[in-house]
Amino acid sequence: GEPRCGASLQELNKALRIQLNANANCVWQIQRNANKKIRLIFSSFKFAPSSSCETESIKVYDGPSTNSPLLGQVCNNTDAVPVLQSSSNSLTFHITTNSVAFARNFFVFYYFFSPETKIENCGGQLTGPNGTFTTPNYPAPYPAFTYCVWHIQTAKNSKINLQFQDFFLELDQNCQFDFTAVYDGLTTNTGLIGKVCGRAQPTFESSSNVMTVVLSTDYANSYRGFSAQYTSAPLPGPAEPDMFLTCSSVSMKIVLSKSYLASLGYNETRLQLNDPSCSPVITNSVIFSFPLASCGTIKKEEGQSITYTNIISLSATGNIITRQKSIQIIAKCKMENNSTLEVIYVTKNNIIQNATAVGRYNVSMSFYDSASFSKPIRQSPYYVDLNQTLFAEVSLHSTDPNLLVFVDTCIASPQPDFGSLTYDLIRSGCKKDDTVVTYPPLKHYGRFKFNAFRFLRRFPSVYLQCDILICDSNNTNSRCTEGCLSRQKRAISSYTWKTNTVVGPIRLKRDLRSADHLESLTKVDAEGTQSLQQYSFYTLSFVVLLSNIILVVGVILKYHKRQTGYGYQKIQSS
């Protein structure tokens, strides 16, 4: 009774067994009036043999239509059990097939869930040289609608051995309902080692020091789950890749050591990016450094993030045959909220090794002297007149031309830490102050103007803090193009990247004049005091000189009287 090609679904959870033939073009839309998100699982899929992602695929969109942001894609060569999550209460997936006559089969399961609901003992980070973990409630039955991810990471130059000592999940031939998936790496997007269910005691081994284990369950037939133990052992063969990746909002830089390339049987002369014309700089290392949007870099919007991916290919020697491993070095910069996740990994005949680092977009904010936004204000503090028009600009420093900046929220505060006393100028793209005027988005710039004001209680300064959204300009339905949104609409709108920036302080010119007047008074008082001190010194010197003259005259007169025989004598009494 299920629709064969496409449907509109509103149930809280549902399993779909989809069978399609050639030239299918079907859309399923999931939406429900609930404050929850959707988890969509493709636990089994079978495309036509030798089909490519361009001719046959499943595309999943984060919203109510195929115009919504692309969440992910499933193809014939997808090396994973795809699990995708929406950012709101709607999700769409679109299946297309090519002209080859073949019976395609897909098993799809979805359910609504609340991210705030946490299940104890469900997933986490395991970093010791060995350890154990179990499913939630073990040995009691695991909960329904459970999705747990364990990331295991041991010391460098080691590999991981995983053994399930007890394992009991719901059994079916293709592990479509409840299953455990094990990945050779830190992600669940590729590198699937195996998927198991039923009763077994499987063992798995990684090719490096990282492994990921996933548990996914549906709504029925829960059993006791599993108890697993992992150990680590030294990794034989070449050492872990000596390489690193640096991402900024302007460029991508990949550094590889010559010794590591030599250990794989390659040298630095046989490396190339997606665009072979972009050559490396070769010193003690091999360095590829190039702008984000160049050298064949592939940009992709994935929910609330943007990824930039480029691949370094190591071409083998010889014209006809080779016995060297097929190796690609995949470098990915993932721009997320307030940070950049940088992932670089090497594939050796589908064996993957990973390394990660951290970076971010570069955003700044400045005041300008006019609406032309040609001359920035360099002075700090910025002294202005009360009610003067101030022109503010937010700038994204990036070489990617297909990014758009949107000023979402701006608040003012008399304190640089933006404490309890704040005043809204812009909130969710909506003007909250009557003097605010926003300019249309202009690529890497967000601009607005407002009239200067002061806080009551004689606070001398005003600081400005703005929340900035960055979107892919190719997405015409992004948050950056929606303008002012109400609270209800804002809950389901999406953006690509978010950060904030601060500028200030702003002070009134009269405060500057008061400071200058006080400085002048201080200078006059100092000069007056100095003059008074000089006058007192001269007066004292004159008095001392006059006293000396009088003393000398007295001595001379007394000496003169003695020379003429005059004197005096005490009269004797009779």
Side-chain angles (χ1 to χ4, degrees):
E2 294 175 356
R4 181 173 177 271
C5 179
S8 179
L9 306 171
Q10 298 181 350
E11 293 91 339
L12 272 173
N13 62 84
K14 192 174 182 66
L16 303 172
R17 196 181 302 275
I18 301 171
Q19 296 180 340
L20 297 175
N21 294 315
N23 301 316
N25 188 355
C26 309
V27 176
W28 282 263
Q29 190 251 354
I30 307 168
Q31 188 168 15
R32 185 181 178 89
N33 188 18
N35 188 23
K36 293 185 176 182
K37 298 183 179 182
I38 304 167
R39 182 172 287 131
L40 180 68
I41 304 168
F42 294 90
S43 57
S44 177
F45 52 91
K46 187 175 183 180
F47 292 95
S50 303
S51 64
S52 65
C53 291
E54 289 73 23
T55 62
E56 194 160 287
S57 68
I58 306 172
K59 292 184 177 180
V60 183
Y61 299 90
D62 190 14
S65 72
T66 54
N67 293 324
S68 303
L70 182 67
L71 265 182
Q73 186 176 25
V74 184
C75 310
N76 186 45
N77 62 353
T78 298
D79 187 22
V81 184
V83 179
L84 301 104
Q85 295 182 182
S86 68
S87 63
S88 64
N89 63 343
S90 61
L91 189 147
T92 303
F93 66 94
H94 180 201
I95 303 180
T96 56
T97 64
N98 60 25
S99 58
V100 176
F102 184 81
R104 288 86 169 167
N105 292 283
F106 311 94
F107 189 84
V108 188
F109 174 64
Y110 79 85
Y111 57 89
F112 285 82
F113 72 100
S114 298
E116 297 80 15
T117 303
K118 303 297 182 183
I119 300 176
E120 189 175 354
N121 200 32
C122 179
Q125 303 285 337
L126 303 171
T127 57
N130 53 72
T132 60
F133 58 100
T134 64
T135 50
N137 300 339
Y138 179 86
Y142 45 78
F145 305 121
T146 297
Y147 183 72
C148 307
V149 181
W150 289 269
H151 295 288
I152 306 172
Q153 186 165 7
T154 58
K156 290 184 177 182
N157 301 326
S158 66
K159 62 180 180 179
I160 299 169
N161 295 292
L162 177 68
Q163 181 176 6
F164 290 91
Q165 298 165 314
D166 184 22
F167 192 95
F168 192 2
L169 271 64
E170 182 178 2
L171 174 65
D172 77 282
Q173 185 175 359
N174 296 315
C175 296
Q176 299 172 129
F177 308 118
D178 299 347
F179 62 85
T180 293
V182 181
Y183 294 88
D184 191 10
L186 280 176
T187 72
T188 59
N189 298 325
T190 187
L192 180 67
I193 304 176
K195 182 177 72 168
V196 289
C197 60
R199 298 203 65 174
Q201 286 187 318
T203 59
F204 298 95
E205 183 178 280
S206 69
S207 64
S208 68
N209 66 323
V210 287
M211 176 184 280
T212 301
V213 182
V214 172
L215 170 70
S216 177
T217 71
D218 65 2
Y219 60 92
N221 300 328
S222 293
Y223 297 93
R224 65 173 177 264
F226 64 72
S227 172
Q229 179 182 19
Y230 75 90
T231 57
S232 59
L235 186 66
E240 183 176 317
D242 185 5
M243 61 186 178
F244 67 86
L245 167 67
T246 304
C247 297
S248 71
S249 60
V250 175
S251 64
M252 181 186 297
K253 183 178 181 181
I254 310 167
V255 179
L256 305 171
S257 73
K258 291 182 180 179
S259 59
Y260 174 66
L261 295 174
S263 71
L264 299 174
Y266 290 87
N267 61 54
E268 63 274 11
T269 62
R270 310 194 67 83
L271 305 180
Q272 66 179 36
L273 291 171
N274 287 344
D275 181 355
S277 64
C278 295
S279 302
V281 174
I282 300 175
T283 57
N284 294 330
S285 301
V286 181
I287 303 172
F288 287 93
S289 183
F290 50 92
L292 275 183
S294 67
C295 294
T297 301
I298 300 170
K299 185 175 77 171
K300 185 177 181 182
E301 188 173 352
E302 298 178 349
Q304 293 185 353
S305 65
I306 289 180
T307 61
Y308 299 88
T309 304
N310 210 315
I311 300 174
I312 300 177
S313 300
L314 285 75
S315 57
T317 57
N319 297 323
I320 300 176
I321 68 167
T322 180
R323 291 186 173 88
Q324 291 178 289
K325 294 180 179 179
S326 173
I327 296 178
Q328 288 183 325
I329 300 172
I330 303 171
K332 179 182 289 187
C333 298
K334 188 172 185 180
M335 305 297 189
E336 294 183 323
N337 292 358
N338 281 330
S339 66
T340 304
L341 175 64
E342 300 162 350
V343 179
I344 182 168
Y345 52 92
V346 178
T347 66
K348 296 183 295 184
N349 292 344
N350 297 324
I351 297 175
I352 299 171
Q353 294 180 318
N354 298 288
T356 60
V358 174
R360 60 172 298 151
Y361 272 131
N362 185 9
V363 177
S364 63
M365 181 163 62
S366 301
F367 286 111
Y368 285 77
D369 64 346
S370 68
S372 66
F373 292 94
S374 58
K375 185 178 179 181
I377 304 298
R378 302 295 186 188
Q379 69 189 64
S380 181
Y382 178 25
Y383 285 96
V384 300
D385 290 319
L386 195 63
N387 212 36
Q388 175 183 333
T389 301
L390 307 184
F391 301 91
E393 178 184 83
V394 175
S395 303
L396 168 65
H397 308 284
S398 176
T399 55
D400 185 349
N402 297 315
L403 293 177
L404 195 62
V405 170
F406 179 69
V407 181
D408 180 75
T409 297
C410 276
I411 61 173
S413 174
Q415 302 163 338
D417 60 354
F418 292 83
S420 58
L421 182 59
T422 60
Y423 175 71
D424 283 1
L425 292 172
I426 303 171
R427 175 69 62 178
S428 300
C430 303
K431 295 179 286 186
K432 297 299 182 181
D433 181 273
D434 294 337
T435 68
V436 170
V437 176
T438 57
Y439 294 83
L442 179 64
K443 290 292 183 180
H444 291 181
Y445 304 100
R447 295 168 172 174
F448 64 98
K449 65 180 181 179
F450 65 99
N451 290 357
F453 61 91
R454 63 179 293 270
F455 283 93
L456 299 177
R457 303 180 187 173
R458 297 193 61 79
F459 289 105
S461 302
V462 175
Y463 295 85
L464 200 63
Q465 176 178 275
C466 295
D467 288 342
I468 311 303
L469 306 184
I470 301 171
C471 309
D472 187 345
S473 59
N474 294 321
N475 181 4
T476 58
N477 296 317
S478 70
R479 174 67 186 94
C480 296
T481 62
E482 292 174 322
C484 174
L485 288 185
S486 65
R487 181 175 297 275
Q488 181 179 2
K489 291 182 179 179
R490 190 166 67 250
I492 63 173
S493 63
S494 64
Y495 54 85
T496 294
W497 197 84
K498 183 176 182 180
T499 186
N500 62 62
T501 183
V502 177
V503 69
I506 310 166
R507 292 183 182 173
L508 297 182
K509 286 183 179 178
R510 69 185 186 189
D511 296 333
L512 176 61
R513 290 193 292 269
S514 297
D516 290 342
H517 179 63
L518 179 59
E519 183 179 353
S520 299
L521 287 177
T522 304
K523 184 175 181 180
V524 169
D525 290 344
E527 291 175 352
T529 301
Q530 184 178 3
S531 299
L532 181 59
Q533 290 174 347
Q534 291 176 350
Y535 175 76
S536 299
F537 174 76
Y538 294 146
T539 302
L540 178 60
S541 300
F542 177 74
V543 171
V544 171
L545 178 60
L546 183 60
S547 300
N548 288 336
I549 292 172
I550 294 172
L551 180 61
V552 169
V553 171
V555 170
I556 293 173
L557 290 175
K558 183 177 179 181
Y559 177 77
H560 179 71
K561 288 180 181 180
R562 286 184 178 179
Q563 290 293 327
T564 56
Y566 291 98
Y568 68 89
Q569 182 179 3
K570 187 176 181 182
I571 300 175
Q572 298 291 334
S573 65
S574 58

